[in-house]
Amino acid sequence: MELKRKYAIAAVLLVLIIAWILIPNNVLQTVSDKTTVVLNVFGNRKAATSKSTPKLPLNTSPTDPLEIIRRDCGQLCDTSRKGSPGPYFDHVNADINCQAIFRNQYVDRGHELPHAPKSIPKNLMIEYTMNNRIPVKYWYFDSQYLGKTARSPVWTEKGIEDWIISAKQGKLRGNYGAGETNALRDALKHAPGIVDGRVMVIGSENPWVEACVLEAGAREVFTLEYGSIKSEHPKVKTIVPLDFRMRYLNNTLGTFDAIVTFSSIEHSGLGRYGDALNPWGDIIAIARAWCVTKPGGSLTIGVQYNYDHEYLRFNADRWYGKIRYPYLTTNWKQHYRGKGSQRVHVFTK
Ligand SMILES: *[C@@H]1O[C@H](CO)[C@@H](O)[C@H](O)[C@H]1NC(C)=O
């Protein structure tokens, strides 16, 4: 009797152990697969594909904003593609779907958080670092700017005219000192489309870039800035990202002879100014500029530049070099390399 009972208990225990091993494993497997799918929606696409594709129905549209951006961005946001040697760094081409990158409402969205994200989410690391090719440092800012009034909300006509005069004399300090201002002025002399052109300036809190562009002979300046600015200068118009997008889509924006941007787009997609995290924010900003530039027009760009030692300094800015510059300026032809610590480069379309 005693022995039989022991056997019975042992048998029950054995069944329980087997059940415990088998059943939860199945359950756990399912749960963990689901987790993988969710986590990988905007993470490493290769991992998501190899692990999860068989279980997903075919032809599903992505629902995550960053996956939707990636889809609309196409080749442009695939920074693993090879370039070909160019005069200053590699040249990269991509099919840019202009309609898609303007139609996408997520590109310009705000992060909607009380504070800008302090670190890069794990699943975005691969994209931000271009598959670990770009080192990350940290320097944090939390300057809510998107959708708010810009730092100098009124640009007076006299203020801009005074700056044009001091630019002519080589004395305009701008935001970064006379040396950088003069580096920009030098590059503008080499940029097709500036003289008598309709020129778009991307992002400037103060109209020093606009003053340089007018000094160089532009007919009209159109400033695209996160915050709304009121310009009283008859040749300077301003626009916020939402209207820029809407006017492109309803065909009232028109095209530009030249684009000029200095120390601005390197912040795009880092959250610092209230924008949502977007690893391709800078690349898409310059691609949209490409979309609205006339053939033969130009892009003049000054960004923090270090050919061999570029990095991402989250969330302050990006430094550009041989690795990311080719993707930043996708499709643009390298035309002139100027001066400055934010070394000014000119490209043509
Ligand atoms: C085009 O879009 C802009 C910006 O939203 C708007 O102000 C304008 O009225 C629109 N024009 C037409 C013709 O729809």
Side-chain angles (χ1 to χ4, degrees), residues 21-61:
I21 290 169
L22 290 181
I23 296 165
N25 252 14
N26 284 340
V27 173
L28 279 179
Q29 191 63 43
T30 317
V31 170
S32 90
D33 271 0
K34 277 191 184 137
T35 316
T36 312
V37 174
V38 172
L39 290 180
N40 274 321
V41 161
F42 49 84
N44 185 336
R45 201 181 221 187
K46 277 196 187 111
T49 310
S50 61
K51 271 193 177 170
S52 323
T53 301
K55 284 176 187 159
L56 289 171
L58 292 172
N59 295 327
T60 46
S61 297

Side-chain angles (χ1 to χ4, degrees), residues 242-243 246-247 250 252:
L242 179 66
D243 290 331
M246 288 320 202
R247 286 186 57 182
N250 73 13
T252 60

Side-chain angles (χ1 to χ4, degrees), residues 161-177:
E161 287 299 322
D162 285 350
W163 281 7
I164 293 173
I165 291 166
S166 58
K168 247 189 195 76
Q169 297 166 340
K171 291 180 188 159
L172 180 64
R173 294 188 44 77
N175 283 0
Y176 305 93

